[in-house]
Every structure is written in C-alpha cells, then in structure tokens.
Amino acid sequence: MQATTAAPTMKEVTQQAWVKRPLIISGPCSAETEEQVLATAQGLAATGVVDVMRAGIWKPRTRPGSFEGIGTKGLPWLQAAKKITGLPVAVEVATAKQVEDALHFDVDILWLGARTTVNPFSVQEIADALRGVDVPVLIKNPINPDLELWIGAVERVAKAGIKQIGLIHRGFSSYGNTEYRNAPMWHLAIEMKRRHPELMMINDPSHICGRRDILLEVAQKAIDLDFDGLIIESHVDPDHAWSDAKQQITPAKLGEMIGSIRWRKEDTASAEYHAALEKLRQQIDQLDDELMQILGQRIKVSEKIGLYKKDNNITILQTNRWNEILERATAKGDKLGLSKEFITKYLDAVHMESINHQNKIMNA
C-alpha cells in the first residue's frame, strides 16, 4: 500500500512563497467586509499567479475623518480567506498591540508601513514585540527619501531576532511631484539593494502610481531592475473601495497584468553574450576614466575663476551665467539624446562642487 504524502503546513507554504521569484503579493488596500475579503481572495487564487494575500486592517491616514481600517475584527476574515484559498496572508502593523493581534489570528507575514519606518520609536516598539517570534517581516521605505532610516528599521528588526526580512519600495514623497503619487526615486532603491544584496526587494507600483493606468509601466521597470517581486493592490470592486480606489484593480485585471509583464533573467550561460558585454564594459570604464579627468580639469578652471572673483570682491553665484550654462547644455544634450532631467541633475551636482571649491578659496 502506497503511503500518502502529508499536505504542507501553512508555515511551509509561507516559506515556499518567501523564497519564490518573482514573489507576487496582492489584495485590497483595506479589508472592508467579510464578503469583500473572501470574494477578492477567491478571485486572486483563481488567477494562479498570487503567492500571498495582503489586506489593510489598520490604515494610518494622513488626515482624521478618513476610513482608518476595520480593525481587529477583520483578522478572522483573513483566517477564513486563508482556509478557503490556501494563500498565506499579510498585514501591516504599526504598534506592539497590532503585532500581538495579528499573530494571535495566525497572520503569516507582517509589514511595516512607510509612516512607521520613518519613526525609530515606532520601529523599536514593533521590534520589541517581535522578540522570540518566527515570522517574516517586510519593511517599506520611509515616506521621506532617507536611506539611513530604512536601514535603521532593518537593523532594529534584525536585532530582535527576525531572520526573514524583506524590503518594499513604495516610492517617496517629494515636493513638486506630479506624475506619481510617490516619486519612485529608483536610485535610492538601487542603492539600498547595493548595500543589502542579501535582502529581498519587492516593488509596490500601487503606492508609487496612485492610479491604475500606469501600474504596468512601473511594474515592468521594477522587474527590469531585477526586483524580486511585486505587491499590488486588488479589490473585487475597486471603483467602490473605501480607500485608495483609483490605484486598485480587480483580481482578473491583476492576472492579465502579471501575464503581460516580460520577466527577464539576471544572467545567462552564453559565452558569446559575456564576451560581448565585457568588451562594452571596458569601453564604459575607459569613458568613465576620461570623464573623471575632464571633471577634474573643469574644477581646476572653476578654482581659477574663484581667485579672480575673490580679488575683485565678486559673489560666487552668478545667476545669469548659470542660466546660460543650463540652457546651452540642455539644448546640446537634447541633440545627443540626453533628457533635460538628467542634464539638470548632472549640472546641479557639478555646479555645487564648483561652488564648494570657490567658497574655500573665497574664505581661505
């Protein structure tokens, strides 16, 4: 008689999901009713692409009076959704009491939101509540573009004994940002990956975009940048969601979107590819060396200008001259296929370095 294989435990299912690439997490911004949670969960399971279901139980809102989450009474709904679909469930926690409640109702994965990560006191409270607990924890980037706060949150949770820690890139608040709800600032996420390559990094297109029409565009860019997965908000009836309706999609639309993403691999065994790439990278290295030499020469000229300004008692900043440099460079850059945004950021950095050198000369 053939022995039957025991079904995997939920802890084993969660572990399998945690190490899977790409990891896909989805679910409603807010758990609203038991019917909504169960219907969304069944829709997500039917897609065959979702590994973990998420739902907001406690919702930190910018202003009072908005829907701030159904609270602890929604946690049994997630238990029921997990039982029906077999999907692990994840929720955001912001206090020690929320950690305790989530674990009491067998939540499989916890995450720290952007408003929590920004506050070391809140992170430490959660870390203390997690001591002795074996549960995966995801940490969103802080609202403001401060890498040290993000790293600090990781360190606090790690010191509490949590072994499975992952990162969520959900974008940053920035003055003047209009295209996105939260500016992605990809360079900060890339720098975080560089500093902590051992940590899983998933992207949150929903909170970056704030609207559903550009979700695929952001998700594809994240995958092209070798992110480990996506966390996307979905709702059985997104247009009537109680919170963040514009950025949510139906489970069916989620399945279509995941299916339309071009999933790229990080490397290939092709010797021809590696040989061609190495030649091009050598060219990049040579050009970078030449750029450094030219930038060094530019700073030396800037220092000579600083001496003349000092001798003639002239201010460092010459606004009209700076405008001329920007206009000429952006026009030339456009002809070379370089974006105005890139040219402006590059010249701003060069300009500040020149100002710093001239300031040392003027005040020596």
Side-chain angles (χ1 to χ4, degrees), residues 12-28:
E12 290 171 335
V13 172
T14 303
Q15 179 60 29
Q16 291 168 6
W18 185 263
V19 299
K20 175 182 170 289
R21 299 293 180 269
L23 171 64
I24 305 298
I25 302 175
S26 190

Side-chain angles (χ1 to χ4, degrees), residues 218 249 300 350 364:
V218 170
I249 56 177
K300 290 186 184 303
V350 173

